[in-house]
Amino acid sequence: MFWLRSATVSRMYSFQVSSYLSRMLGCLPASSLSQGENRQLSVLSKHEPNITRAFPGITFQCQVRSYAKGKDKKGKGKQSKVHVSDEEMTEVVNVSQLREQFANIIEKLKEEYIKNLTLRTAVGGIETLPVELEGDKYPLNEVAQVSRKSPQMLIINAASFPQATVGIIKAIRESGMNLNPQQEGTTIYVPVPKVTKEHRENLAKSAKTLCNRCKDQLRERQNNFIRKVRTKEGQVSEDLVYNVQLKIREIADDHMQEAEKLMAAKQKELLKTSS
């Protein structure tokens, strides 16, 4: 047995030197570690002579890389940047595709905030909502006619594609625009809410809903790319596979933070009242 001391958390670990040096030269078993700690383990000096005599010509060094625990709850979640270049990442993943897909999700959130979350509901915002019809999605104005009967009422005529009526109602209700459509045959009436404090608060809640949906999509893309990276195990170094997975999570986290900033700005705009 020999002992290793953690340089940052002052904990002691013991290892049994097995007949397979590769196991010893690895890192601590996952079960021995607490998540979020950043340690560099070194062999205690008083045991080094015994180890080197037992295994002449071999230098033993063990490092465990993870993330540092914050001193308080405020520091929770803060992580060190992963140092792996895009060039290195391209060995196991399509980096340009990864970044493009993440960026597209954020752009979609921006568009939804601009078109759907406005204090005054515009016809244009309704017309561009995606409506599911026969397995495909179409802009609402391609399957129905939208008109404004009065400042407080929009009318949607779905007579040309009556089968799209259910999809139109669903698209409006899930748009985050705080609208409650009412159906009469192939005609859909959409009352436009007055700009009240309650309406502002409902739109602010919708901003959070859209943000959470965006973050879910980012996580889904993150997991898809990580699964692709894991298929490269055995073809490239374990360190590269491990670091690329961390980098993908880091990129996804950066985009999630951007989504939260957009949400905060939109909520501030919606809840702001004129003095």
Side-chain angles (χ1 to χ4, degrees), residues 165 224 268:
T165 304
N224 286 342
K268 183 177 179 180

Side-chain angles (χ1 to χ4, degrees), residues 130-140 142-144 158 160-168 171:
V131 176
E132 188 169 345
L133 177 63
E134 298 176 352
D136 290 321
K137 288 190 176 182
Y138 304 89
L140 192 151
E142 290 188 9
V143 297
S160 299
F161 295 93
Q163 66 271 35
T165 304
V166 174
I168 292 172

Side-chain angles (χ1 to χ4, degrees), residues 50-67:
N50 296 331
I51 296 171
T52 54
R53 281 198 296 270
F55 299 95
I58 297 177
T59 301
F60 293 97
Q61 183 178 9
C62 181
Q63 292 184 349
V64 177
R65 292 173 297 176
S66 54
Y67 297 111

Side-chain angles (χ1 to χ4, degrees), residues 1-7 10-17 24 28 32 40-52 60-62:
M1 302 285 283
F2 67 95
W3 293 89
L4 301 179
R5 183 188 300 275
S6 167
S10 299
R11 291 172 57 183
M12 297 293 292
Y13 300 93
S14 65
F15 283 92
Q16 177 70 48
V17 180
M24 202 290 300
L28 287 174
S32 302
Q40 180 169 335
L41 305 178
S42 59
V43 181
L44 287 176
S45 59
K46 65 180 181 179
H47 293 291
E48 287 176 355
N50 296 331
I51 296 171
T52 54
F60 293 97
Q61 183 178 9
C62 181

Side-chain angles (χ1 to χ4, degrees), residues 20-153:
Y20 296 99
L21 294 180
S22 59
R23 179 177 178 82
M24 202 290 300
L25 291 172
C27 291
L28 287 174
S31 59
S32 302
L33 304 177
S34 298
Q35 288 186 345
E37 294 180 344
N38 180 17
R39 314 181 186 86
Q40 180 169 335
L41 305 178
S42 59
V43 181
L44 287 176
S45 59
K46 65 180 181 179
H47 293 291
E48 287 176 355
N50 296 331
I51 296 171
T52 54
R53 281 198 296 270
F55 299 95
I58 297 177
T59 301
F60 293 97
Q61 183 178 9
C62 181
Q63 292 184 349
V64 177
R65 292 173 297 176
S66 54
Y67 297 111
K69 276 188 175 180
K71 293 183 179 180
D72 51 35
K73 290 184 178 180
K74 292 183 180 180
K76 187 177 181 180
K78 292 185 178 179
Q79 299 179 344
S80 303
K81 290 292 182 181
V82 182
H83 299 292
V84 56
S85 68
D86 283 6
E87 184 178 356
E88 292 173 308
M89 291 178 66
T90 54
E91 294 186 40
V92 292
V93 71
N94 188 327
V95 181
S96 59
Q97 185 184 68
L98 180 150
R99 293 187 182 278
E100 182 180 0
Q101 289 188 17
F102 282 163
N104 287 342
I105 293 172
I106 294 297
E107 286 303 314
K108 182 181 177 182
L109 178 64
K110 291 179 181 178
E111 291 176 5
E112 288 179 325
Y113 278 174
I114 293 171
K115 292 180 180 179
N116 300 346
L117 296 188
T118 58
L119 295 176
R120 300 287 182 182
T121 303
V123 172
I126 296 286
E127 289 180 331
T128 57
L129 290 177
V131 176
E132 188 169 345
L133 177 63
E134 298 176 352
D136 290 321
K137 288 190 176 182
Y138 304 89
L140 192 151
N141 60 359
E142 290 188 9
V143 297
Q145 294 179 339
V146 183
S147 61
R148 185 182 287 275
K149 182 178 180 180
S150 69
Q152 301 301 322
M153 182 66 69

Side-chain angles (χ1 to χ4, degrees), residues 115-269:
K115 292 180 180 179
N116 300 346
L117 296 188
T118 58
L119 295 176
R120 300 287 182 182
T121 303
V123 172
I126 296 286
E127 289 180 331
T128 57
L129 290 177
V131 176
E132 188 169 345
L133 177 63
E134 298 176 352
D136 290 321
K137 288 190 176 182
Y138 304 89
L140 192 151
N141 60 359
E142 290 188 9
V143 297
Q145 294 179 339
V146 183
S147 61
R148 185 182 287 275
K149 182 178 180 180
S150 69
Q152 301 301 322
M153 182 66 69
L154 298 177
I155 297 179
I156 300 173
N157 184 352
S160 299
F161 295 93
Q163 66 271 35
T165 304
V166 174
I168 292 172
I169 293 174
K170 181 180 179 182
I172 295 172
R173 286 179 175 165
E174 294 181 355
S175 67
M177 300 172 74
N178 190 32
L179 300 175
N180 185 27
Q182 306 296 324
Q183 179 185 357
E184 288 187 12
T186 58
T187 302
I188 301 170
Y189 296 92
V190 185
V192 178
K194 292 182 179 179
V195 182
T196 62
K197 180 181 178 181
E198 182 182 5
H199 181 54
R200 290 175 182 271
E201 290 175 348
N202 286 333
L203 288 176
K205 290 178 182 177
S206 295
K208 183 174 182 179
T209 299
L210 292 174
C211 177
N212 288 339
R213 186 186 303 172
C214 170
K215 289 164 68 176
D216 287 342
Q217 292 172 351
L218 289 168
R219 290 189 190 97
E220 182 181 355
R221 294 293 188 280
Q222 166 193 288
N223 294 336
N224 286 342
F225 279 106
I226 286 177
R227 281 194 289 269
K228 291 179 181 178
V229 170
R230 287 174 179 168
T231 63
K232 302 294 183 179
E233 290 179 348
Q235 302 176 36
V236 296
S237 70
E238 292 182 6
D239 280 348
L240 181 60
V241 171
Y242 175 77
N243 287 332
V244 170
Q245 290 181 68
L246 291 184
K247 189 65 177 181
I248 291 173
R249 291 190 177 96
E250 179 184 293
I251 296 171
D253 287 344
D254 289 343
H255 283 80
M256 289 181 197
Q257 290 176 18
E258 184 178 354
E260 290 178 351
K261 289 178 182 177
L262 291 171
M263 177 193 70
K266 192 64 183 181
Q267 288 181 325
K268 183 177 179 180
E269 171 193 326

